[in-house]
Amino acid sequence: MTRIPDSSLKTAATFEKLFKRYYAWLCHYVTKLSGDPDLAEDLVQEVFIKLWESRYYITVRTSFKHYLFKACHRRFLQYVREEKKENNLLNTLKWETLYDLQAEGPQHMSVKIQAVRQAIDQLPPKCKEAFLLSRYNQLKYREIAEEMGISIKTVEIHISKALVLLKQNISFPLYLFILIFQEFLN
């Protein structure tokens, strides 16, 4: 059992040693939980960032390895809860939007489909490519990153930017429409 004096977390050199010692082990552990090595790396890095940011206030009463294990486990569970909450919200919004569109009739739907197509065509090229690969080809961020030759974080940025621009350029709450009627937009 490795006990780390609280004061040693405050030095960058010691912190770096601890990071190098446990990072791969923690990534392996979180990959077993999630099944996604890229997600595991992101979550473990977030744990280390939080640890570094709170290094002056933290007290490790167990072994550092046990502390990190628990912190990564908690971060993974938090991620799962956030994903579930987001999926529930998207599902609710999807059904509400579907109901609203159905009530408006087919003529309004074709106008909205055209508006969405135009808004997508106005996206910056990389944003558009990442967005289409995600929403229409159903690729995961890791797969998009590989295909485009960019990092996963850059994919996230492109897709977030695309959603913001679409929301701004469509005068009705149609960014949700995109999530629902993907087959109509191809």
Side-chain angles (χ1 to χ4, degrees), residues 54-100:
S54 60
R55 67 190 177 277
Y56 294 109
Y57 311 104
I58 199 160
T59 301
V60 179
R61 292 191 172 98
T62 61
S63 71
F64 193 70
K65 181 178 179 179
H66 178 75
Y67 175 85
L68 286 173
F69 170 84
K70 290 301 268 181
C72 287
H73 187 82
R74 282 190 207 109
R75 180 62 189 104
F76 172 72
L77 292 176
Q78 179 186 11
Y79 172 81
V80 170
R81 283 190 298 273
E82 289 167 357
E83 283 292 303
K84 184 177 180 182
K85 207 182 284 185
E86 184 177 322
N87 287 336
N88 287 341
L89 175 63
L90 285 175
N91 197 30
T92 300
L93 291 173
K94 187 188 318 186
W95 285 109
E96 287 174 3
T97 304
L98 181 60
Y99 176 79
D100 291 345

Side-chain angles (χ1 to χ4, degrees), residues 26-142:
L26 291 166
C27 285
H28 178 72
Y29 170 69
V30 178
T31 298
K32 280 186 163 188
L33 292 174
S34 68
D36 184 346
D38 294 322
L39 173 64
E41 284 187 26
D42 287 346
L43 295 179
V44 171
Q45 287 173 10
E46 288 175 19
V47 166
F48 273 104
I49 290 168
K50 188 171 182 172
L51 180 64
W52 177 254
E53 289 172 347
S54 60
R55 67 190 177 277
Y56 294 109
Y57 311 104
I58 199 160
T59 301
V60 179
R61 292 191 172 98
T62 61
S63 71
F64 193 70
K65 181 178 179 179
H66 178 75
Y67 175 85
L68 286 173
F69 170 84
K70 290 301 268 181
C72 287
H73 187 82
R74 282 190 207 109
R75 180 62 189 104
F76 172 72
L77 292 176
Q78 179 186 11
Y79 172 81
V80 170
R81 283 190 298 273
E82 289 167 357
E83 283 292 303
K84 184 177 180 182
K85 207 182 284 185
E86 184 177 322
N87 287 336
N88 287 341
L89 175 63
L90 285 175
N91 197 30
T92 300
L93 291 173
K94 187 188 318 186
W95 285 109
E96 287 174 3
T97 304
L98 181 60
Y99 176 79
D100 291 345
L101 289 171
Q102 187 177 9
E104 291 178 357
Q107 290 175 330
H108 290 284
M109 190 180 302
S110 64
V111 169
K112 290 180 179 185
I113 290 171
Q114 187 59 33
V116 171
R117 284 186 178 145
Q118 288 174 349
I120 290 172
D121 286 341
Q122 292 174 3
L123 292 173
K126 293 288 184 183
C127 284
K128 180 179 176 180
E129 182 181 1
F131 179 78
L132 293 174
L133 289 171
S134 170
R135 296 302 189 261
Y136 302 126
N137 294 1
Q138 303 292 316
L139 296 182
K140 295 182 179 182
Y141 285 7
R142 179 177 25 87

